[in-house]
Amino acid sequence: MNTTTGRGLVRWVGAGLVAVATVSGCSSAPETNRRPAAPTGSFAFWPSAPDEPRIQFIRSISSSEDVASTKTSGFEKIVFGEDAGKPSELNKPYGVAMRDGTIYVCDIRGSALVAFDLNKKQTRLIGTSGANRLDHPVGVTVAEDGMIYVADNSRSAIVVFDASERYMTTFGVAKSKPASLAVHGERLYVTDMASQVVQIFDRHSGAMLGTIGTVGDEDGQFRLPLGIATDPAGNIWVTDMMRCRVQKFAPDGQFVLGIGTLGDYAGSFARPKHIAVDKDGVVYVVDAAFQNVQMFDGEGRLLMAFGAAGDFPGAMNLPAGICIAEDAAGLFAGQIHPGFDPKRVVLVTNQFGLTKVSLYAMGTKREGWTVQQLAAAAVPVSTGVGVTSPERKKMQEQGGQPEPSAVPGATPPAAPAPTGPAATPKRDQPAPTPEPKQN
């Protein structure tokens, strides 16, 4: 098991966030601390003790069997064949959304939108036939009224389903390559990899209302806009995979700020994919090379990271999609440590491995519990600890590379991209898979 651990980048006080300097480390917890105190079992928390945990891995979902066990009688096998009752498995998930207990996953290889209904214990396939047939679904979002919008990269289309998952309509721009989408009010925002801008639609009529950004390398410009999300104030957040950058735009489309650059330290990016923002304005960015999720505040300051490659619970394997479910924590009460108070659920899709959709609880330590009690039930985890960019440069000039445990973290500054312990791309990981089709 990967026993590398990383201390948290911030301390969270009440509903606020206070940045503090911490130290990266590679030491393993003593054996006595690996035995869960209560309840029995193992839990994965980020950040690791002695910092208070803010993220707990809950579980993963990869097939219909993970939602409801399938039991097939011998008679059914005789009538319908050996495949009767065979679980429906995700092939290659990408975009993800969740609403009212149902998880919607874009299965690129399966050419379908897969719905895992946790309340009804059902798995449904959407967009597999007729006029609503999906070819290469890569992004999905669900509006407050339950309307479902799917970006089909091959069809240059946004396919719309109603709250009952029935096909409604299709709209879009010819020769476009939609990659991700977000709803705010009556507007639908779509990243287009062909024109390299953000398209704005009326989400009901499909009428084009305008665009955000232009092609280029300056503030407010894109080279490959991929992920998109809106925050509670209506600001638009966009990941630019080619420039390894996240940009924030005001509701009127004006550039506000940018986060990150190409790098191997926290606050930078190597292969940013989808993005999500919760109701408190915390921004979550998936990085397929770091194989983790980095979290920022609304001003672009780095808060913490979770995930990373490995064989521990909650490890990631070429993650791509992410979404926030504000009201879903109650569905997993029996799988969350009693000393951890969940506020919302974060879902991340992995393109490889056995954990195709990983679920994490974001919350706080419950009153009356100590960090040590939670740590006693925890397994060693990683955030992909590395070194800060200036230190790496200095060591390279001196002809050496520091051990991660010897490099202190840094307090995120109030402006420009912060530094800190990092998620370094793993050299022995499989090569990243092609992005959503561009031709």
Side-chain angles (χ1 to χ4, degrees):
M1 175 175 291
N2 186 338
T3 59
T4 302
T5 60
R7 296 274 295 279
L9 299 178
V10 295
R11 292 193 189 279
W12 302 51
V13 181
L17 311 174
V18 180
V20 297
T22 56
V23 179
S24 303
C26 292
S27 60
S28 299
E31 279 301 320
T32 55
N33 289 342
R34 295 185 188 179
R35 291 195 295 270
T40 57
S42 297
F43 297 83
F45 294 109
W46 290 267
S48 299
D51 293 313
E52 290 191 10
R54 295 295 163 172
I55 296 287
Q56 184 211 305
F57 173 67
I58 303 174
R59 60 169 296 193
S60 63
I61 295 176
S62 298
S63 75
S64 58
E65 193 76 12
D66 296 321
V67 176
S69 179
T70 303
K71 296 182 179 180
T72 306
S73 67
F75 178 74
E76 288 175 315
K77 289 182 178 180
I78 293 174
V79 175
F80 301 110
E82 288 298 323
D83 288 337
K86 185 177 181 180
S88 176
E89 298 184 355
L90 283 173
N91 293 287
K92 189 175 181 182
Y94 211 80
V96 62
M98 184 175 184
R99 183 169 176 79
D100 295 335
T102 299
I103 302 170
Y104 296 96
V105 186
C106 292
D107 191 340
I108 294 178
R109 196 166 290 158
S111 299
L113 181 67
V114 183
F116 295 111
D117 191 327
L118 304 184
N119 290 318
K120 296 181 179 179
K121 308 290 186 190
Q122 294 179 348
T123 299
R124 301 182 292 271
L125 299 181
I126 304 169
T128 58
S129 62
N132 66 329
R133 186 178 182 85
L134 298 170
D135 183 19
H136 198 251
V138 293
V140 57
T141 191
V142 184
E144 289 294 325
D145 59 5
M147 297 290 287
I148 305 166
Y149 300 85
V150 182
D152 193 311
N153 193 256
S154 290
R155 294 180 55 186
S156 300
I158 307 303
V159 185
V160 186
F161 303 87
D162 67 14
S164 299
E165 301 172 0
R166 295 174 298 189
Y167 172 72
M168 292 292 292
T169 187
T170 299
F171 60 80
V173 177
K175 298 183 180 180
S176 66
K177 295 294 178 184
S180 182
L181 22 67
V183 168
H184 191 87
E186 305 309 304
R187 290 188 167 194
L188 177 70
Y189 298 93
V190 181
T191 53
D192 178 22
M193 298 192 307
S195 62
Q196 299 186 51
V197 300
V198 173
Q199 300 169 339
I200 308 172
F201 296 93
D202 180 295
R203 72 179 185 93
H204 298 290
S205 69
M208 184 83 159
L209 303 178
T211 61
I212 296 175
T214 57
V215 181
D217 299 312
E218 303 299 324
D219 289 343
Q221 296 184 315
F222 304 110
R223 284 297 178 185
L224 193 63
L226 181 59
I228 190 167
T230 58
D231 64 23
N235 298 301
I236 304 102
W237 295 78
V238 186
T239 60
D240 189 327
M241 198 185 74
M242 189 68 70
R243 295 177 63 198
C244 295
R245 185 169 168 80
V246 172
Q247 298 189 84
K248 176 183 179 181
F249 297 86
D252 62 2
Q254 294 299 307
F255 172 81
V256 176
L257 60 83
I259 305 172
T261 185
L262 176 63
D264 60 358
Y265 55 97
S268 68
F269 303 103
R271 201 173 181 82
K273 294 292 189 75
H274 282 202
I275 185 171
V277 186
D278 68 27
K279 284 189 175 180
D280 291 331
V282 176
V283 181
Y284 305 71
V285 184
V286 173
D287 196 302
F290 292 171
Q291 307 213 64
N292 73 355
V293 173
Q294 297 188 77
M295 297 164 61
F296 302 83
D297 68 12
E299 300 303 316
R301 291 178 292 234
L302 180 66
L303 300 178
M304 61 171 287
F306 66 93
D311 58 1
F312 51 85
M316 298 180 185
N317 197 335
L318 287 183
I322 187 169
C323 74
I324 310 296
E326 296 285 349
D327 57 354
L331 293 170
F332 310 101
Q335 297 164 290
I336 295 175
H337 192 289
F340 189 74
D341 186 15
K343 188 172 185 179
R344 54 181 59 94
V345 175
V346 183
L347 296 87
V348 179
T349 60
N350 296 288
Q351 297 180 75
F352 285 90
L354 301 177
T355 56
K356 294 299 174 61
V357 182
S358 292
L359 288 75
Y360 306 81
M362 187 274 222
T364 59
K365 179 182 66 65
R366 289 188 186 276
E367 186 176 353
W369 287 77
T370 66
V371 172
Q372 291 71 26
Q373 285 176 310
L374 271 67
V379 297
V381 299
S382 174
T383 55
V385 178
V387 298
T388 60
S389 184
E391 287 162 339
R392 178 176 289 277
K393 181 178 180 181
K394 181 179 179 180
M395 292 301 295
Q396 287 175 337
E397 290 173 350
Q398 296 174 351
Q401 292 290 338
E403 291 296 323
S405 59
V407 181
T411 301
T419 60
T424 305
K426 303 291 185 179
R427 299 298 183 188
D428 58 351
Q429 292 299 313
T433 54
E435 298 308 313
K437 297 179 182 178
Q438 300 184 51
N439 51 42

